[in-house]
Amino acid sequence: MDTSTLLLRFDGRSRLLLRSLLSGATGARRGVWVFQRQRRSDPDRCLHTCLETLCQQEICPNSDAQTLTTKPLVCLFPVAFQRSLLSFLHLTHPLHPRTSVLRLLDCLSQGEHAPNPWVSALVVQLRRDLGAPGGKEPLITPQCRERLRGLCERLRGSGGDDKATGWALCLGGPIEPQLSSSSQSGLDVVPQRKRKSSCVYLDSVLEDDAGQQRKRMKISLSPVDTERSCSSMEYAVGTEGLKDQMKTDWVYGVIPEPAVEPQPAAGSPSDALPEKVKASIPQIKEILESEMEWDQSSVDVFKVLNDCDPSQVEILCRMLSLSEMPEQTLPQLCSCLLELSPDLSHSTAATLIKSLLLGKVLSLSEPASRCLVTAVTSLCSRYPRPTCHALIGPVLEEGQTGSAQAELLNRLIEDCLDPHYRLLVFQMTIKGIWCEGLLSVIHALLDKKLELNEELFTLFTYQLSSQAPHFTKSMKYSKMMLTVLTKYNTHVTVAHKHTLSCCLSSNETFLKKSLQAALKRIKHS
């Protein structure tokens, strides 16, 4: 079972968070960033429902592939996801129900095979964080300890000084967790470390019983140290001080990031961009982060998009993190894109629409915000074909057309798309996975009296017939059928009539007699 299917078990916001945890070595850091943004809009948000869903039992093939068994849903995800999830919970566990986290740890500890060593170590570390039974087990295996001991011996060299330092000192005795003197915070004491680094000033918020007080904290991190701290959230076991520092940063409301962006390394994706585009990246970022009204100079900065080919536009979108832009910024950005002259090419517009909007539309669990609707409709009106291919098509084909997505698509059909683009969307719906939300989109398209040729109508009737057993009690399906029989009766041939009759035979709604009567009234010359 692939991860896309597993993610369908979750609501939109949880799905967005879990997708960020699937992003490889930086999954934990991305997850914390996404969760922090979600809590800004909903301070009471916790992951109780998400964690309980991860613990639900799922039927799956056994190791011999001939029998079925049940496993917790979290055990069906890749090991890399499990590591990112545990690292994320290590940083944010005070914000989640303790019982739900412990239940998840129990699920990850069970199984017919020995769990992954990294996962086992992170489970033990998280039990230590929670003060739960099992937290006193060693974090590393004896084999791992011996390997580390041999490594530190090589690192020490032959300097003649027998005094144990660094890893040698750490491995010379048992590794014990350092508990904080403050039981209220539940966080470890951050050890003091001296590093050669540049100073990064971060704004943070300290929450206490008296209220919120703004403070400024100073963290010494070089670009190399920052990169290590990001990856160690997922992998480093035994380097508790570094992870404690990351954890404290979360409680203060910030994620450690270098204030000055490091120069891209050789061979980085930015090397594929023209020099003019590279030079404009800091300006674009400054504009996107600004809360001021954008003027004509802002529009001029975005003209570099016309100097990029499709692959370069995709790289630029990733570097600018357009998929993570807050929705309130979208209308201003779309206004700038619409003022560009000449218009963007089809491929450039499609890449921008996909980066900006697709993730937000797929994750909708409630009606789209005014800012998102404004952005989608404005780009669709100017660039309808790119919108169809980069936004509407993927939403329909992934089978994620819920009521919120359907409402937004119906608005585009009604207000933004010309007849030939509606026909293009209709062809996409036939290939998509049908659900109740998709039925309302098809019904909205049929209400526009599409110009269907015989081949397309025949294909549609076959799809109606194949999907009929899944919608025997669906009123949306019945109303859509009624529209077909009344508005498209001139398209119905004898063969079509037989196919449609089979569709109606399994219908169990109160519209069945009306549908059969409408079908019977269709005459053939």
Side-chain angles (χ1 to χ4, degrees):
M1 190 179 297
D2 59 12
T3 54
S4 297
T5 305
L6 298 177
L7 290 174
L8 295 177
R9 309 287 197 280
F10 302 88
D11 62 83
R13 290 203 297 175
S14 297
R15 192 183 308 142
L16 182 63
L17 175 61
L18 296 181
R19 282 187 187 278
S20 68
L21 294 175
L22 283 164
S23 55
T26 60
R29 190 181 88 169
R30 287 178 178 270
V32 171
W33 188 89
V34 170
F35 185 63
Q36 185 186 27
R37 287 299 184 94
Q38 292 177 345
R39 280 182 59 83
R40 285 181 184 174
S41 59
D42 182 8
D44 297 326
R45 172 162 170 71
C46 72
L47 299 182
H48 171 72
T49 304
C50 179
L51 295 176
E52 292 298 321
T53 304
L54 285 170
C55 296
Q56 290 178 359
Q57 296 293 323
E58 285 287 326
I59 299 175
C60 60
N62 212 334
S63 56
D64 56 11
Q66 296 180 355
T67 58
L68 295 178
T69 185
T70 59
K71 291 183 180 179
L73 182 61
V74 67
C75 294
L76 302 181
F77 281 88
V79 173
F81 169 84
Q82 297 173 19
R83 291 198 299 259
S84 293
L85 175 64
L86 289 170
S87 300
F88 166 79
L89 292 174
H90 174 55
L91 298 172
T92 64
H93 67 86
L95 304 175
H96 312 305
R98 185 174 184 270
T99 53
S100 298
V101 177
L102 287 176
R103 186 182 173 198
L104 180 71
L105 298 183
D106 292 337
C107 291
L108 288 169
S109 302
Q110 70 183 42
E112 55 186 13
H113 302 294
N116 180 271
W118 283 109
V119 173
S120 299
L122 289 168
V123 167
V124 173
Q125 179 61 53
L126 196 48
R127 288 188 187 277
R128 290 184 181 184
D129 299 336
L130 298 170
K136 294 185 178 180
E137 297 179 10
L139 288 176
I140 56 179
T141 63
Q143 295 86 348
C144 181
R145 181 183 290 272
E146 288 303 318
R147 289 185 179 182
L148 288 174
R149 194 184 303 279
L151 177 61
C152 81
E153 289 295 334
R154 290 202 302 271
L155 292 175
R156 287 176 62 186
S158 56
D161 185 5
D162 294 333
K163 185 177 179 181
T165 57
W167 275 104
L169 179 63
C170 176
L171 295 172
I175 301 176
E176 296 292 341
Q178 298 179 352
L179 298 179
S180 170
S181 60
S182 173
S183 59
Q184 293 182 352
S185 64
L187 302 179
D188 299 349
V189 177
V190 181
Q192 298 297 323
R193 295 188 174 195
K194 294 183 179 180
R195 296 180 181 174
K196 293 180 180 180
S197 59
S198 60
C199 293
V200 181
Y201 291 90
L202 299 173
D203 289 327
S204 60
V205 179
L206 176 64
E207 296 182 4
D208 56 16
D209 294 337
Q212 296 185 352
Q213 298 178 348
R214 297 230 171 234
K215 293 187 177 182
R216 183 175 281 300
M217 63 183 299
K218 180 178 181 182
I219 299 177
S220 295
L221 284 176
S222 67
V224 175
D225 292 330
T226 303
E227 184 64 24
R228 286 175 181 168
S229 68
C230 296
S231 62
S232 66
M233 293 196 312
E234 183 170 308
Y235 299 111
V237 176
T239 57
E240 296 175 356
L242 180 57
K243 294 203 288 187
D244 293 342
Q245 187 172 355
M246 296 292 293
K247 183 191 296 183
T248 304
D249 292 337
W250 162 256
V251 174
Y252 279 71
V254 297
I255 307 300
E257 294 277 4
V260 179
E261 187 171 325
Q263 293 298 320
S268 65
S270 63
D271 291 343
L273 298 178
E275 289 300 325
K276 180 180 178 181
V277 178
K278 286 183 187 179
S280 67
I281 290 177
Q283 293 177 283
I284 296 177
K285 285 187 174 182
E286 183 179 352
I287 292 172
L288 294 177
E289 295 170 0
S290 171
E291 297 181 358
M292 305 292 289
E293 288 293 330
W294 298 3
D295 52 18
Q296 184 58 41
S297 61
S298 304
V299 179
D300 295 337
V301 172
F302 287 98
K303 288 182 178 180
V304 296
L305 291 170
N306 284 317
D307 299 329
C308 301
D309 60 33
S311 61
Q312 292 170 342
V313 173
E314 189 172 351
I315 293 172
L316 182 61
C317 291
R318 285 202 304 268
M319 295 184 67
L320 295 173
S321 301
L322 293 187
S323 60
E324 300 168 353
M325 276 188 59
E327 292 186 3
Q328 59 267 27
T329 310
L330 290 177
Q332 285 197 98
L333 175 58
C334 292
S335 297
C336 280
L337 296 178
L338 296 179
E339 291 182 27
L340 292 178
S341 180
D343 285 351
L344 300 172
S345 67
H346 174 277
S347 56
T348 298
T351 303
L352 283 170
I353 290 170
K354 182 177 180 180
S355 297
L356 275 174
L357 305 175
L358 181 57
K360 292 180 173 60
V361 173
L362 286 176
S363 63
L364 285 176
S365 57
E366 55 188 20
S369 65
R370 179 181 58 82
C371 292
L372 182 57
V373 171
T374 301
V376 174
T377 53
S378 62
L379 288 178
C380 185
S381 298
R382 175 67 67 86
Y383 300 104
R385 184 172 292 276
T387 302
C388 289
H389 288 293
L391 179 65
I392 299 177
V395 172
L396 297 177
E397 292 168 7
E398 289 196 19
Q400 299 187 27
T401 314
S403 58
Q405 286 83 6
E407 180 182 345
L408 181 59
L409 296 185
N410 288 342
R411 182 160 184 169
L412 298 182
I413 292 168
E414 181 70 30
D415 300 337
C416 305
L417 296 179
D418 292 334
H420 54 288
Y421 292 120
R422 292 171 184 160
L423 188 60
L424 175 61
V425 174
F426 182 76
Q427 293 171 329
M428 294 175 177
T429 63
I430 297 177
K431 302 175 185 177
I433 302 173
W434 281 22
C435 57
E436 289 289 329
L438 183 57
L439 293 180
S440 65
V441 175
I442 298 174
H443 194 187
L445 288 165
L446 292 172
D447 272 340
K448 294 300 180 182
K449 200 67 173 66
L450 303 174
E451 294 294 332
L452 303 180
N453 57 36
E454 183 177 353
E455 180 183 358
L456 185 56
F457 187 76
T458 300
L459 184 61
F460 178 57
T461 56
Y462 286 154
Q463 183 74 340
L464 283 173
S465 177
S466 65
Q467 296 291 334
H470 303 295
F471 300 100
T472 56
K473 298 181 180 180
S474 171
M475 286 300 299
K476 289 183 179 179
Y477 182 87
S478 298
K479 290 178 180 178
M480 181 182 67
M481 284 289 296
L482 191 59
T483 300
V484 172
L485 297 175
T486 53
K487 291 191 174 183
Y488 295 84
N489 53 354
T490 56
H491 293 70
V492 178
T493 63
V494 175
H496 295 152
K497 196 169 185 178
H498 175 72
T499 303
L500 295 172
S501 178
C502 295
C503 294
L504 301 183
S505 62
S506 59
N507 192 288
E508 299 179 13
T509 68
F510 70 87
L511 288 176
K512 181 174 181 177
K513 290 185 177 180
S514 300
L515 292 169
Q516 291 174 332
L519 180 62
K520 192 175 293 185
R521 284 195 296 269
I522 297 177
K523 304 296 181 182
H524 305 283
S525 55

